[in-house]
Amino acid sequence: MPGFELTVSETEAEMSCAGAELRIIFSPGRVQLVQEEEMVPAAPSVLVTGATGLLGRAVLREFQSSGWLVSGMGYRRARPHLLRCDLTDEDAVRAAMQQLKPDVVVHCAAERRPDVMERNTEAAVNLNVHATSTLAKEAAACGAFLLYISTDYVFDGRNPPYGEDDAPSPLNAYGRSKVEGERETLRHCPGAAVLRVPVLFGEVESVTESVVTSLWLDVQNVSEVSLDHRLQRFPTDARDVAAVCRKLAQRQRQDPSIKGIFHFSAKEQMTKYEMAVAMATAFNLPSNHLIPLTEQLPAAILRPINSQLNCCRLELLNLSVEPRAFTSAITDCLWPFTPDKRWRQTVFH
């Protein structure tokens, strides 16, 4: 740039030009133009626990697609691109948090199978309660926003729908462990949030990964199958839950009042029998071999009959999403498991 001189008193001015800052320094007898690179703020970072699971994978994809710096944590199924960490090892959790220093932690890791909880309560409580307590302490220490994923099983199902302020009354060990996890989260990390969700389904690695998609095996069965037609459920797509997690995290970065308990759920009320019939209908398969069972099995673990969640708090804050319709969402999940993998193309195109 050609030089020029101007007699002025010493001062400075700034102007923007083509994505960079131009700082003009006026000094006696000379004008100097100095170009400075525009400072681009660093993308926020998120750590997802349970990143190998059904919900964890969906949360990873959601944050990645929104431009976040994403770290995933797993244990037994940890893949090369994920951090392998035993959440019940306090020292390992502390080291990981101090190394990563995430802005947000989405805590998806949990033992979610009520039957397993009843058989191996101590190990499940270590993960659902004690590991959550450790993570909450470390999140508070590094100033991270912790989002703890909980469940509708914290309620007994006798008086739905349940709001965020309704007192928990779990019927089984799983529900009790999640209530304790909620309390540990909010006790050790007061700025944290709890997101309660119902039964989930989504993009699965095998159909048995979700109790919802596992019904596909019954749909394909040639023999008669009895399916529960008593317990009311609200099957929810993990992609929708992931979107809510991302919206909560983004809003909280501008508004620290985003904390406490939130509910999110799909709106379609269905029993296992009704889910299976809907799957059969979606894939043009017979359903007359599916038999509705309206009696509780004597040895069954107690589960809430209808733990419908009132989701008004998210909706009032404009942090909810419109849940995907069950039929279309379950089709997305199950078509790779059809005998003809080209089914989706032949039906929809």
Side-chain angles (χ1 to χ4, degrees):
M1 179 179 293
F4 60 94
E5 294 187 357
L6 180 64
T7 304
V8 292
S9 10
E10 186 167 355
T11 184
E12 289 191 8
E14 293 185 0
M15 60 183 292
S16 296
C17 179
E21 295 296 323
L22 286 178
R23 186 159 55 92
I24 307 174
I25 302 177
F26 297 94
S27 57
R30 181 173 295 276
V31 179
Q32 183 182 1
L33 275 68
V34 181
Q35 181 170 321
E36 297 179 347
E37 292 298 324
E38 184 177 15
M39 295 298 292
V40 178
S45 60
V46 60
L47 170 64
V48 181
T49 72
T52 58
L54 172 65
L55 178 58
R57 296 194 304 269
V59 171
L60 275 179
R61 287 192 295 268
E62 175 68 29
F63 278 88
Q64 283 171 336
S65 67
S66 298
W68 286 61
L69 298 175
V70 178
S71 300
M73 188 180 283
Y75 186 46
R76 291 186 180 86
R77 293 189 291 171
R79 299 175 176 89
H81 62 284
L82 298 176
L83 176 65
R84 182 181 175 87
C85 180
D86 179 359
L87 289 177
T88 63
D89 182 338
E90 293 186 18
D91 292 335
V93 172
R94 186 174 301 111
M97 290 290 287
Q98 290 175 354
Q99 175 189 344
L100 295 170
K101 293 183 172 61
D103 297 308
V104 174
V105 179
V106 183
H107 185 26
C108 300
E111 175 53 72
R112 291 187 174 85
R113 297 165 295 180
D115 297 320
V116 172
M117 285 261 358
E118 297 291 340
R119 294 195 304 268
N120 196 1
T121 304
E122 183 179 355
V125 167
N126 278 338
L127 179 58
N128 287 5
V129 182
H130 301 319
T132 299
S133 178
T134 301
L135 197 61
K137 292 173 186 175
E138 296 308 316
C142 73
F145 170 59
L146 174 61
L147 178 55
Y148 173 72
I149 305 300
S150 190
T151 174
D152 59 341
Y153 271 41
V154 301
F155 299 113
D156 60 21
R158 297 190 180 101
N159 189 30
Y162 292 94
E164 292 87 354
D165 295 329
D166 287 330
S169 51
L171 295 176
N172 54 41
Y174 169 61
R176 289 191 292 273
S177 76
K178 296 302 284 184
V179 170
E180 287 302 310
E182 292 182 3
R183 289 172 179 162
E184 290 298 290
T185 295
L186 299 175
R187 181 161 73 97
H188 294 297
C189 192
V194 169
L195 180 63
R196 293 174 179 151
V197 297
V199 62
L200 302 181
F201 65 96
E203 185 178 312
V204 291
E205 295 178 342
S206 70
V207 291
T208 56
E209 193 175 8
S210 160
V211 296
V212 177
T213 53
S214 65
L215 294 169
W216 181 241
L217 300 175
D218 297 316
V219 171
Q220 294 181 304
N221 205 322
V222 295
S223 305
E224 284 192 354
V225 182
S226 294
L227 293 173
D228 181 79
H229 192 42
R230 187 179 69 94
L231 302 179
Q232 304 298 317
R233 295 292 173 256
F234 295 81
T236 300
D237 194 316
R239 294 174 294 182
D240 295 334
V241 177
V244 169
C245 291
R246 190 255 309 156
K247 293 181 77 168
L248 276 166
Q250 285 181 331
R251 178 73 68 82
Q252 194 278 338
R253 286 178 59 73
Q254 282 80 43
D255 181 1
S257 72
I258 300 298
K259 59 183 179 179
I261 298 173
F262 297 87
H263 289 172
F264 177 73
S265 171
K267 299 171 183 176
E268 294 174 84
Q269 180 173 314
M270 311 175 81
T271 63
K272 281 189 175 182
Y273 167 74
E274 289 169 328
M275 293 180 217
V277 170
M279 292 176 193
T281 302
F283 287 91
N284 298 315
L285 296 174
S287 61
N288 53 1
H289 65 294
L290 304 173
I291 310 301
L293 181 65
T294 55
E295 298 176 359
Q296 181 181 349
L297 297 175
I301 294 170
L302 286 177
R303 288 170 166 84
I305 192 165
N306 185 348
S307 49
Q308 181 182 7
L309 298 173
N310 181 322
C311 307
C312 283
R313 187 178 180 203
L314 275 178
E315 292 164 2
L316 288 171
L317 291 167
N318 197 28
L319 290 171
S320 191
V321 299
E322 183 61 30
R324 289 170 168 84
F326 179 78
T327 300
S328 61
I330 202 66
T331 302
D332 287 344
C333 305
L334 291 177
W335 74 264
F337 301 96
T338 56
D340 181 358
K341 303 300 187 297
R342 297 168 300 172
W343 183 90
R344 189 173 190 180
Q345 287 84 357
T346 57
V347 170
F348 289 108
H349 298 287

